[in-house]
Amino acid sequence: MKNKKDNTTLLQIKDLKIEGFSDERWHKIIKGVNLELKRGEVLGLIGESGAGKSTLGLAAMGYTQPGCRITGGQINFDGVDLTKRTDSEKRKYWGNRMTYVAQSAAASFNPAHRLINQTTESTIRAGLKKQNEAFDEARALYDALNLPNPETIGERYPHQVSGGQLQRIMTAMAMSPNPDLIVFDEPTTALDVTTQVEVLAAMRDIVKTYGTAAIYITHDLSVVAQMADRIKVLRYGEEVEEAMTRKMLKSPKEDYTKSLWSVRSIQKPEKKSKDIILEVKNVDAFYGSFHVLKNINIKLPLGRTVALVGESGSGKSTVARVITGLLEPKIGSVKFKNRELPPSLKGRTKDQLQKIQMIYQMADVAMNPKQTVYDIISRPASFFASLTGANLRKRVVELLEQIDLDESFIDRYPSELSGGQKQRICIARALAANPEVVICDEVTSALDQIVQEGILTLLGRLQKDLNLSYIFITHDIATVKAISDEVVVMNEGEVVEQGLKSEIFSPPHPEYTELLLSSVPEMDPDWLTDLLKARNY
Amino acid sequence: MHPVVKTVLERLGLGLATLFFVSIIIFSAIEMLPGDFGQAILGQAALPETVAAFRQELGLDKPAYIRYFDWALGAIQGDLGTSFSGRNASGADRSAEVVDKIAPRLWNTLFLASMAALIAVPLSLILGILTALYRNSFFDRSVNTATLTTISFPEFFVAYILILFFASLNQIFPSLANVDPDTNFGERIYRTALPAFTLTLVIVAHMMRMTRAAIINLLASPYIQMAKLSGASQTEIILKHALPNAWAPIATVIAFNLAYLVVGVVVVEVVFVYPGVGQLMVDAVRTRDIPVVQGCALIFAVTYILLNLIADIIGIVTNPRLLHPK
Amino acid sequence: MNKDTNTYSAAGEVGSVLESRSTFTRLKIELNKAPLTAKFGIFIIIVFVGLAIFAPLIAPYGEAEVFPEPYAPWSANHIFGTDQIGRDIFSRLIFGARNTVGVAFATTILAFLIGGALGLAAAINRSYLDLFLSRTVDVLMAIPQLIFALVLLSIFGSTIINLIIIIAVLDSTRVFRLTRAVSLNVVVMDYVEVAKLRGENISWVMRKEILPNILPPLIAEFGLRFCFVFLSIAALSFLGVGIQPPTADWGSMVRENASLIQFAQYDLKAAMTPLLPAAAIALLTVAVNFVVDWFLHKTSGIKDEK
């Protein structure tokens, strides 16, 4: 295949406006965005939830999701205005000259068909290649994408291969018709960091080799920095700024752009402490016959933060379940202030329950939607401290002030709060019990960067004011750096290492820590290239 | 063992177990009768000896579990016992075998149900798919309102409206569907037209709504959007991408509604005085002829369990995750 | 450590924040936006409930009052004529609203009390109790409900109390399944875990955390179950094994007057008589279904698509 890269314009979007229908009304999703893409160029679209980046990405293909409509502007693809074409005319472009890579590969493959048939389906339909030829080509693509057993993997069904492999096969599917344009819609967001590296590398390589133009949509600036030549930042359906990748990273014009890596700007000096408030000792735990935790030992120093890091399935959240008594360990115990806690929740006294509180990842499901902020925060205060009437209300207002919210929030329902406000209410609820240890389970990972920063700052301040000790469970290394004093690295139910933050982040590392740390994308366009060189790919 | 075979066997076992429990429940009907029911059936004038003989004939002197196995073994071999009716106080016994009462009527009921199913199943699948494809169109909204109205109608209301228009005001079809073994096939269809049509109207509404919901659910899957974005046409999306994954929900819908048919048939048979199992059962309930009630209930239950079992098995053998294990 | 927050404040954080409105205002707004079918449904339900409550005041004659002329034609004295033994059809229709709807309503309530309580218990205590109840319900549901009801009625006899208990128990299986399913969705929520971690007792968790969240689907289900129960009881009465004479009941009224339909060519009005109670049943069921349909559409948050 010839490289298609030249300097002519492939796609030009002018003043595009899109509306979506919800709550019985039309809402503006895209409010007049311009976009230009040259042949062979990769454009990164970045923004937080609600920025309209996915809608814009799909619109680049002339596609709008059900419930959305284009209300103005043009989408010129290779000289043709797609907004004026019918679906059946656009179908000739889809799966042929333009293709799409979705976020969730597992859900986006049809469970009923073999992977190779799905990979080549649109190529064969468009009459670009005969079946044999298309199959051979697909196997070559599998090979180029570093998939294991490229000759036979296509014979499998979607549920028979892993998530990272599926995402690469979807890239092969997008490449199969040798399109002019690929839209990548958050293709690595659902993957663990160590898997993400391989997928990113494979995607970048193949796009470069064929000189395909691409739009790469993501919320993660460090990821897009590896992939894109140029980056466009979106917010609330409007463009914030656009620049070449290196320029954008070095000297962003807008404050908003800077806020996209705001968590990385928090620096917390680590502090040591000798007093241990909580200790997990020699714990082994099982789900049924599945051995989730293997000989876990963790110490939490008083007034400090221990970050528990690991990928999905590493057992980090299970540690929290053991500490709170939701899961009884088979062997080992949890000690609070040098006294062993009863293994099961039911055996613990009110006082023991009060001292350890938990904050969850999804504030949405951590609050009863039928209760007001007052109900939510006041319950632990009345339950543990037996406060009533005016005293209780005073306490709730005081707690709201501690989390930077005022009394006006007291009668709201969770659905009337923003994401960050919800998480703050959850923090207030934990504080209402007067705890000494707070377990934070991925409390910031569902939030936008700038909101994350606010929450992390708040947690830091509360720790200082109330002398709290945190166990902070997360998969995000930037968050670990921002909040922790000590770090525990977990993998497959085992502790890989535990130590002060400075020790963990400076070499030499155990093999897994090395892999994990090196896989975290950095705000450097050369990071992936350098990493691959270092790993001898 | 292949997971498909394993799951099918599991489901069969479950079906058998269910049947076992159901048969116990039906059997215990006779256990729950008040103590003096012998007297009630034979009449106040019956002599104590006659009542005693009757009780012995029913085997009430033996323990319940032995009688259950006798009864169940008999049922498997096609012996459902003897009807209570036709007995009198003097001890004379002109009662009929339950099987002889049910057998000719079973054929009639099956005929009526199949006729309704043959019209209803294809019709509702097509309507369901069409409304799913053109959802929220005027067509869809009107069909939705129409079916919502129809499922709210009692079967006898639909039946009498049809009678009013097609039998009473315009004498196109007979209002009484009296058939006997000598009725020839064409005549039989003609006479059962109104009952079959009533049943069709009632189940089409249910079935169409369920098909529509199942298809819409399927069309919302991300892989359908993916298929659209790879240039597949509507037809291709339905036939190649949605249908292979739709067998399980569609089979469930059909089974559910054929089971519904079983129930609807009872009322419709009574309206049209059609000599089927349903009418027999209602009559037996009125006269408290327990062996006949038991026999009919057993037949309905077996049909119902069987239909659901078939739907389950279709769902299993078309599930790609089970067909192609890891 | 508290950095410069000129660009950020928690209280001013914007999301698509909803306005706070009282329940009553919301209800009014929703009602105004309701489709015509739903408004029609609400109107019909109100009329029927009114008829049921004030039956003796509205009906011109008594429920079982017998007049000398059986099968009297429609006239000023007897708006819809009289039945086979000379009772006023119009009055019986009005009393029927009380009896038929009343029995169906009582049955549905009972079914929800049984099914709801057991379903909630099974969802919370996910061990032997759940297993036992779920299997029992599977078996009970393996027999078509009407058939099962017929078997039980043949044993216990057709009295109103028996009818209510039998149908309620059979129908509670479906309520059980739904309650269990929706409760299980709620039980796994983090906020229930929070309550457990706090050491709240089971009854508090049930009342405060679970119940308010399973109410919307249960209310919708109540409407659907009512329709089903109502139709089942009407069918049984029509078959002659449900509500027994002389109690005025729509199902049995259809059966009693069914033969009139044969005379449509001679007296169309008289032939319509058996259709009146049937139509009353249909009308109420349609009305409830319309309202439930609208309610489901609202609470499930189904978005109108193009």
Side-chain angles (χ1 to χ4, degrees):
Chain A
M1 261 182 260
K2 72 177 175 62
N3 196 315
K4 295 172 179 173
K5 193 162 186 162
D6 59 24
N7 254 338
T8 55
T9 301
L10 176 69
L11 175 76
Q12 193 178 36
I13 293 178
K14 278 190 203 152
D15 196 27
L16 185 69
K17 296 188 175 92
I18 298 179
E19 294 184 345
F21 196 78
S22 66
D23 295 327
E24 321 265 320
R25 266 188 302 148
W26 287 99
H27 299 267
K28 292 189 173 108
I29 300 178
I30 301 290
K31 304 166 185 164
V33 172
N34 297 309
L35 182 154
E36 199 175 327
L37 186 66
K38 295 199 168 59
R39 283 179 191 279
E41 189 187 28
V42 180
L43 172 72
L45 273 186
I46 183 155
E48 300 182 321
S49 50
K53 49 193 194 301
S54 287
T55 311
L56 184 61
L58 286 169
M61 300 178 68
Y63 180 85
T64 46
Q65 270 173 322
C68 294
R69 64 178 185 195
I70 296 177
T71 50
Q74 292 178 358
I75 305 165
N76 290 311
F77 178 79
D78 210 9
V80 176
D81 185 358
L82 294 176
T83 58
K84 301 208 164 54
R85 299 288 150 152
T86 64
D87 268 12
S88 65
E89 284 170 320
K90 283 186 281 195
R91 245 174 246 142
K92 297 200 178 74
Y93 290 91
W94 296 340
N96 179 0
R97 297 191 59 193
M98 38 175 79
T99 54
Y100 179 72
V101 177
Q103 173 173 357
S104 163
S108 298
F109 274 105
N110 191 323
H113 300 298
R114 288 181 199 278
L115 289 167
I116 196 152
N117 294 72
Q118 300 195 54
T119 309
T120 57
E121 185 188 338
S122 67
T123 310
I124 297 169
R125 181 192 308 117
L128 299 172
K129 288 185 192 91
K130 294 241 166 48
Q131 179 168 340
N132 287 345
E133 214 183 321
F135 274 31
D136 286 344
E137 179 112 1
R139 291 187 197 108
L141 281 167
Y142 294 155
D143 194 27
L145 287 160
N146 283 318
L147 281 158
N149 310 317
E151 287 303 311
T152 53
I153 194 168
E155 298 305 313
R156 292 170 164 250
Y157 285 83
H159 64 274
Q160 295 172 318
V161 303
S162 74
Q165 291 169 0
L166 269 187
Q167 206 67 51
R168 275 179 278 171
I169 294 172
M170 184 163 281
T171 308
M173 180 169 153
M175 288 306 303
S176 170
N178 193 16
D180 295 320
L181 170 69
I182 302 185
V183 175
F184 291 98
D185 192 354
E186 303 249 13
T188 61
T189 307
L191 304 176
D192 278 326
V193 276
T194 51
T195 324
Q196 173 175 266
V197 172
E198 298 163 22
V199 177
L200 282 179
M203 286 190 309
R204 190 176 71 166
D205 258 22
I206 205 124
V207 171
K208 280 235 172 81
T209 315
Y210 288 107
T212 314
I215 293 178
Y216 195 100
I217 301 163
T218 176
H219 66 281
D220 189 340
L221 194 56
S222 57
V223 165
V224 84
Q226 315 308 318
M227 308 298 289
D229 304 318
R230 203 151 42 95
I231 295 175
K232 186 194 276 293
V233 183
L234 290 178
R235 189 185 198 193
Y236 306 140
E238 282 168 303
E239 178 177 323
V240 176
E241 65 174 310
E242 183 185 312
M244 298 307 283
T245 303
R246 277 170 204 279
K247 197 173 161 225
M248 172 84 76
L249 292 180
K250 219 192 250 162
S251 49
K253 270 183 274 172
E254 303 293 323
D255 282 345
Y256 176 71
T257 310
K258 273 181 233 161
S259 80
L260 287 172
W261 59 90
S262 48
V263 168
R264 292 172 198 252
S265 65
I266 307 179
Q267 290 298 333
K268 179 185 166 180
E270 68 185 27
K271 284 187 199 153
K272 290 186 200 175
S273 169
K274 282 219 176 90
D275 300 331
I276 301 297
I277 183 158
L278 187 97
E279 188 178 1
V280 179
K281 236 181 149 179
N282 306 326
V283 161
D284 273 51
F286 292 79
Y287 284 134
S289 61
F290 180 63
H291 202 164
V292 255
L293 295 180
K294 297 162 195 161
N295 194 24
I296 301 290
N297 285 289
I298 295 169
K299 283 181 181 167
L300 174 62
L302 177 67
R304 300 287 172 264
T305 303
V306 170
L308 236 58
V309 218
E311 296 182 281
S312 51
S314 60
K316 56 190 191 303
S317 291
T318 314
V319 173
R321 293 179 67 80
V322 169
I323 295 173
T324 53
L326 284 167
L327 181 72
E328 274 183 57
K330 196 116 192 176
I331 314 170
S333 62
V334 179
K335 277 183 165 178
F336 180 74
K337 292 186 170 168
N338 281 322
R339 289 182 58 186
E340 209 168 284
L341 287 173
S344 153
L345 181 61
K346 282 182 188 139
R348 297 192 184 175
T349 64
K350 211 166 173 178
D351 192 47
Q352 288 168 329
L353 293 173
Q354 176 180 7
K355 295 294 181 225
I356 304 175
Q357 290 293 315
M358 190 149 170
I359 309 171
Y360 295 79
Q361 173 176 7
M362 308 297 289
D364 270 319
V365 292
M367 286 191 285
N368 189 334
K370 304 285 176 186
Q371 292 180 352
T372 63
V373 165
Y374 181 81
D375 297 332
I376 292 168
I377 303 180
S378 66
R379 181 62 190 173
S382 63
F383 187 80
F384 290 120
S386 306
L387 294 176
T388 50
N391 285 334
L392 184 57
R393 189 171 172 98
K394 213 179 104 199
R395 172 73 174 140
V396 171
V397 173
E398 182 189 303
L399 285 162
L400 281 174
E401 276 163 9
Q402 278 187 332
I403 54 162
D404 301 333
L405 294 177
D406 56 51
E407 207 177 334
S408 69
F409 283 84
I410 212 159
D411 290 322
R412 291 207 192 182
Y413 285 93
S415 60
E416 295 162 349
L417 301 171
S418 71
Q421 287 164 351
K422 283 180 198 164
Q423 198 55 286
R424 280 166 194 264
I425 300 297
C426 289
I427 293 172
R429 174 175 60 191
L431 296 181
N434 286 323
E436 293 180 27
V437 172
V438 178
I439 302 173
C440 306
D441 191 354
E442 301 268 12
V443 288
T444 54
S445 38
L447 302 171
D448 287 336
Q449 281 278 326
I450 189 160
V451 183
Q452 284 190 23
E453 186 207 356
I455 298 285
L456 292 178
T457 314
L458 172 70
L459 286 171
R461 198 191 73 217
L462 292 170
Q463 178 164 54
K464 229 192 240 169
D465 294 353
L466 306 169
N467 201 25
L468 297 171
S469 314
Y470 292 144
I471 290 186
F472 208 96
I473 298 167
T474 180
H475 68 278
D476 182 36
I477 303 295
T479 310
V480 176
K481 286 183 176 159
I483 189 115
S484 65
D485 298 293
E486 292 190 16
V487 179
V488 176
V489 181
M490 289 189 67
N491 183 37
E492 293 180 353
E494 286 178 277
V495 171
V496 179
E497 59 175 329
Q498 166 163 24
L500 288 170
K501 176 164 66 176
S502 55
E503 295 165 13
I504 299 289
F505 285 116
S506 49
H509 304 295
E511 196 181 336
Y512 178 76
T513 312
E514 171 67 38
L515 178 70
L516 183 69
L517 292 182
S518 67
S519 300
V520 178
E522 286 169 19
M523 290 291 171
D524 169 9
D526 298 323
W527 167 79
L528 185 61
T529 318
D530 295 347
L531 175 71
L532 294 176
K533 227 179 264 166
R535 286 192 190 170
N536 283 326
Y537 261 30
Chain B
M1 207 189 318
H2 196 278
V4 169
V5 182
K6 194 171 156 237
T7 321
V8 168
L9 286 180
E10 271 173 19
R11 217 45 66 93
L12 280 175
L14 206 64
L16 277 178
T18 312
L19 194 59
F20 172 67
F21 285 111
V22 165
S23 68
I24 287 184
I25 292 176
I26 293 175
F27 167 77
S28 32
I30 216 150
E31 296 300 302
M32 290 188 280
L33 280 175
D36 60 341
F37 79 100
Q39 195 83 50
I41 283 161
L42 299 177
Q44 288 306 316
L47 298 168
E49 299 90 81
T50 323
V51 176
F54 177 51
R55 288 180 65 89
Q56 189 161 15
E57 185 198 325
L58 289 180
L60 290 182
D61 48 340
K62 283 186 261 178
Y65 69 92
I66 292 187
R67 273 181 291 123
Y68 169 74
F69 283 111
D70 286 348
W71 178 77
L73 278 177
I76 290 168
Q77 293 159 8
D79 174 14
L80 292 167
T82 316
S83 166
F84 282 175
S85 70
R87 295 169 193 274
N88 61 25
S90 65
D93 187 358
R94 285 188 297 276
S95 57
E97 287 291 308
V98 174
V99 173
D100 296 335
K101 287 193 152 196
I102 292 180
R105 286 167 172 263
L106 183 59
W107 155 242
N108 287 343
T109 297
L110 284 179
F111 183 83
L112 175 59
S114 329
M115 207 165 130
L118 278 179
I119 315 171
V121 172
L123 188 67
S124 36
L125 287 186
I126 292 169
L127 273 178
I129 292 174
L130 283 181
T131 46
L133 280 184
Y134 301 102
R135 62 180 176 282
N136 291 331
S137 66
F138 177 73
F139 167 68
D140 176 37
R141 281 168 206 264
S142 6
V143 172
N144 180 45
T145 311
T147 51
L148 198 58
T149 313
T150 322
I151 55 171
S152 313
F153 284 6
E155 292 91 350
F156 51 81
F157 186 42
V158 179
Y160 282 124
I161 291 178
L162 290 181
I163 291 182
L164 183 68
F165 284 106
F166 296 107
S168 196
L169 285 177
N170 312 293
Q171 283 157 355
I172 304 172
F173 293 106
S175 66
L176 296 184
N178 47 345
V179 293
D180 56 56
D182 301 328
T183 319
N184 69 37
F185 191 69
E187 182 68 18
R188 199 175 263 268
I189 288 185
Y190 170 70
R191 289 193 190 170
T192 40
L194 280 188
F197 199 36
T198 308
L199 279 175
T200 306
L201 279 179
V202 174
I203 57 170
V204 160
H206 273 280
M207 212 156 142
M208 191 231 95
R209 287 174 76 84
M210 288 172 74
T211 312
R212 177 181 181 273
I215 299 276
I216 285 182
N217 195 11
L218 206 65
L219 290 182
S221 328
Y223 61 81
I224 297 293
Q225 170 169 330
M226 197 66 206
K228 270 188 214 162
L229 281 172
S230 73
S233 65
Q234 276 284 16
T235 338
E236 222 173 326
I237 287 176
I238 295 290
L239 294 181
K240 195 170 170 185
H241 291 275
L243 208 56
N245 297 295
W247 293 120
I250 288 179
T252 313
V253 173
I254 294 179
F256 182 87
N257 285 282
L258 291 184
Y260 192 87
L261 196 73
V262 168
V263 176
V265 106
V266 176
V267 174
V268 170
E269 280 179 6
V270 170
V271 174
F272 292 94
V273 202
Y274 182 79
V277 183
Q279 213 199 9
L280 178 69
M281 183 166 181
V282 172
D283 286 340
V285 171
R286 282 205 210 112
T287 56
R288 303 180 85 171
D289 187 349
I290 306 293
V292 175
V293 174
Q294 285 177 324
C296 296
L298 199 61
I299 283 175
F300 282 125
V302 168
T303 319
Y304 196 86
I305 293 172
L306 217 59
L307 285 171
N308 283 317
L309 196 63
I310 293 171
D312 269 357
I313 290 177
I314 290 178
I316 293 165
V317 298
T318 56
N319 183 345
R321 279 165 201 277
L322 287 173
L323 277 181
H324 314 284
K326 280 195 179 181
Chain C
M1 184 148 159
N2 206 347
K3 279 200 335 164
D4 177 17
T5 48
N6 59 357
T7 54
Y8 182 74
S9 102
E13 197 176 273
V14 275
S16 57
V17 175
L18 291 170
E19 266 177 77
S20 201
R21 286 179 183 141
S22 77
T23 323
F24 182 70
T25 342
R26 281 188 190 178
L27 201 70
K28 234 167 68 180
I29 294 171
E30 290 302 328
L31 266 180
N32 276 330
K33 281 196 298 188
L36 207 61
T37 48
K39 285 180 182 157
F40 165 79
I42 293 172
F43 173 73
I44 295 291
I45 293 173
I46 292 174
V47 169
F48 273 55
V49 169
L51 281 180
I53 295 174
F54 301 109
L57 300 177
I58 301 168
Y61 307 108
E63 186 176 358
E65 205 175 333
V66 179
F67 294 89
E69 189 187 2
Y71 288 131
W74 294 19
S75 67
N77 267 346
H78 301 290
I79 302 180
F80 296 134
T82 60
D83 67 5
Q84 80 282 8
I85 56 169
R87 290 172 299 195
D88 182 58
I89 301 262
F90 180 60
S91 304
R92 283 179 71 74
L93 271 178
I94 292 170
F95 277 103
R98 174 176 268 199
N99 300 330
T100 318
V101 179
V103 169
F105 192 70
T107 310
T108 318
I109 297 260
L110 188 59
F112 265 77
L113 288 181
I114 303 171
L118 292 181
L120 210 53
I124 290 178
N125 179 353
R126 301 221 51 206
S127 58
Y128 296 107
L129 177 72
D130 183 24
L131 201 68
F132 171 75
L133 287 174
S134 297
R135 287 292 149 275
T136 311
V137 163
D138 284 349
V139 171
L140 290 182
M141 287 177 79
I143 308 176
Q145 194 165 336
L146 186 78
I147 303 297
F148 210 157
L150 284 174
V151 172
L152 294 176
L153 284 171
S154 72
I155 300 165
F156 298 109
S158 300
T159 65
I160 287 192
I161 296 295
N162 281 351
L163 194 67
I164 291 179
I165 294 174
I166 288 171
I167 302 284
V169 168
L170 293 181
D171 211 57
S172 67
T173 53
R174 281 156 214 274
V175 182
F176 169 85
R177 274 207 182 166
L178 182 87
T179 312
R180 180 176 173 274
V182 291
S183 308
L184 279 183
N185 286 340
V186 176
V187 165
V188 297
M189 289 289 175
D190 288 341
Y191 58 82
V192 177
E193 191 175 299
V194 171
K196 281 189 201 153
L197 283 179
R198 205 187 300 140
E200 302 279 6
N201 61 37
I202 290 265
S203 113
W204 196 90
V205 173
M206 263 192 177
R207 278 183 298 118
K208 298 283 182 171
E209 307 286 355
I210 299 177
L211 208 56
N213 288 294
I214 61 171
L215 268 183
L218 284 186
I219 290 172
E221 183 69 6
F222 188 87
L224 294 178
R225 291 317 330 149
F226 172 79
C227 288
F228 192 83
V229 165
F230 184 56
L231 288 178
S232 302
I233 290 181
L236 287 170
S237 301
F238 170 77
L239 295 175
V241 294
I243 302 176
Q244 299 294 321
T247 309
D249 157 74
W250 291 341
S252 21
M253 284 176 74
V254 177
R255 186 172 51 106
E256 288 159 2
N257 298 295
S259 52
L260 285 175
I261 211 161
Q262 306 296 340
F263 308 111
Q265 282 181 320
Y266 314 104
D267 183 354
L268 185 60
K269 280 185 185 165
M272 300 275 282
T273 311
L275 291 181
L276 291 174
I281 296 168
L283 194 60
L284 181 59
T285 324
V286 171
V288 176
N289 264 326
F290 277 161
V291 175
V292 170
D293 198 47
W294 166 63
F295 185 80
L296 277 179
H297 195 81
K298 286 251 64 104
T299 52
S300 65
I302 299 165
K303 299 281 178 277
D304 279 299
E305 291 175 18
K306 257 197 303 188

